[in-house]
Amino acid sequence: DLAELLPRLKERGIYTIARMVVMKDNTSAAARPEMAVRNGATGEPWRDNIGGAWLDPSAPGVAEYIASIAGDLADKGFDEVQLDYIRFFSDGPGALADTNLPNTQSFRLPAIQRVLHVVSSELETTRAFLGADVFPISFIVPDDQGIGQRPEVIMPYVDYFCPMVYPSHYGPGVFGHPVPNTAPYDVIDKTLEIMNEQKEGLPVVIRPWIQDFGYGSFPPYTADQVRAEMEALRDNDAKGWMIWNARAIFTEAALGP
């Protein structure tokens, strides 16, 4: 009940963020299949490896639908609307996926750019800031990695740019580390050095997600590793951080008083 909850949070001086999962959307794909990525063989909504359906950023009406929800959240009083999964589909049988426009970088980038333009325009007359969560990989390599995320289509449209700089998710050899997960400071330091160059001249604020979890064969992070992430952010003038653990269990020793 947002009408009850938001005033209580405001009374306590809590900055409120509405995190919106946008393209990975089982409900909307079922209700509005014309907005979804389609399975070319069956005509039904395409599904990823865990059964998730995705909206097609290039399909008519998708940008406007997302903007209407973002505007409603802003009107309800959130300080920030944060778009997660603001990208093209992944992690499934790509050969079966059918999108409104050709699934190439030259079409993906304008599609994502238009979504962000429409959403940012919707929020222009509200008091809410706009944020976007992104994978760092498509900002440290020269292409969009198949997902439609690049600095030029995201950074100009958001107030808060939120890269998920989880060292466990970087591939072997990135920045010269056979296992990047073992070098949290250096991985994040080098990532933000690149991103700071990309945002030059823009008013966007970089406020990353950092990890406090294990992933695959990697054990959970220790307090020292979490603090190393935070140190890399401070050294690169990041404006704070958000910390992720899917179970919401955090290493208190890393968080300070």
Side-chain angles (χ1 to χ4, degrees):
D1 184 349
L2 295 180
E4 179 184 339
L5 176 62
L6 282 172
R8 291 168 54 201
L9 297 175
K10 298 286 187 183
E11 288 170 7
R12 290 160 175 77
I14 294 173
Y15 181 80
T16 55
I17 302 175
R19 174 177 165 264
M20 257 182 83
V21 177
V22 290
M23 297 304 170
K24 193 165 186 173
D25 187 340
N26 291 335
T27 302
S28 299
R32 298 281 303 277
E34 72 277 9
M35 296 201 307
V37 178
R38 307 298 291 272
N39 184 309
T42 68
E44 298 295 316
W46 179 88
R47 301 280 173 172
D48 61 23
N49 293 332
I50 58 172
W54 292 67
L55 299 184
D56 174 3
S58 67
V62 168
E64 290 76 12
Y65 168 67
I66 292 166
S68 70
I69 298 175
D72 183 56
L73 292 167
D75 290 342
K76 282 181 166 56
F78 279 97
D79 295 306
E80 177 181 332
V81 177
Q82 184 185 93
L83 306 182
D84 200 7
Y85 286 83
I86 177 65
R87 61 181 180 88
F88 273 72
F89 63 92
S90 63
D91 303 314
L96 292 176
D98 190 13
T99 49
N100 180 60
L101 296 175
N103 186 19
T104 62
Q105 179 169 299
S106 61
F107 286 97
R108 287 190 298 263
L109 294 182
I112 294 296
Q113 185 175 38
R114 182 177 181 274
V115 173
L116 284 161
H117 174 70
V118 172
V119 175
S120 64
S121 297
E122 179 75 19
L123 298 187
E124 266 184 353
T125 56
T126 75
R127 296 178 61 86
F129 294 109
L130 178 61
D133 301 334
V134 303
F135 282 137
I137 184 65
S138 55
F139 295 80
I140 63 176
V141 297
D143 64 11
D144 77 337
Q145 294 290 291
I147 60 173
Q149 290 185 347
R150 288 291 297 160
E152 65 272 19
V153 304
I154 294 181
M155 286 183 169
Y157 297 97
V158 297
D159 302 294
Y160 289 98
F161 177 77
C162 310
M164 298 174 285
V165 290
Y166 308 146
S168 62
H169 285 47
Y170 287 65
V174 174
F175 298 132
H177 297 288
V179 183
N181 191 54
T182 63
Y185 178 89
D186 193 58
V187 166
I188 294 176
D189 177 62
K190 286 185 167 59
T191 296
L192 289 193
E193 184 178 332
I194 293 169
M195 291 176 173
N196 278 329
E197 292 176 358
Q198 292 168 336
K199 83 173 190 73
E200 193 168 342
L202 296 171
V204 63
V205 170
I206 296 180
R207 186 195 59 207
W209 284 97
I210 58 175
Q211 77 178 86
D212 191 1
F213 57 82
Y215 180 72
S217 61
F218 300 133
Y221 257 34
T222 65
D224 285 344
Q225 287 172 302
V226 175
R227 283 194 292 262
E229 294 180 286
M230 296 174 181
E231 183 182 1
L233 301 186
R234 287 193 297 269
D235 289 349
N236 285 276
D237 200 32
K239 305 303 182 186
W241 42 263
M242 296 170 292
I243 189 165
W244 182 259
N245 180 302
R247 296 189 298 161
I249 297 174
F250 300 99
T251 306
E252 291 185 41
L255 300 180

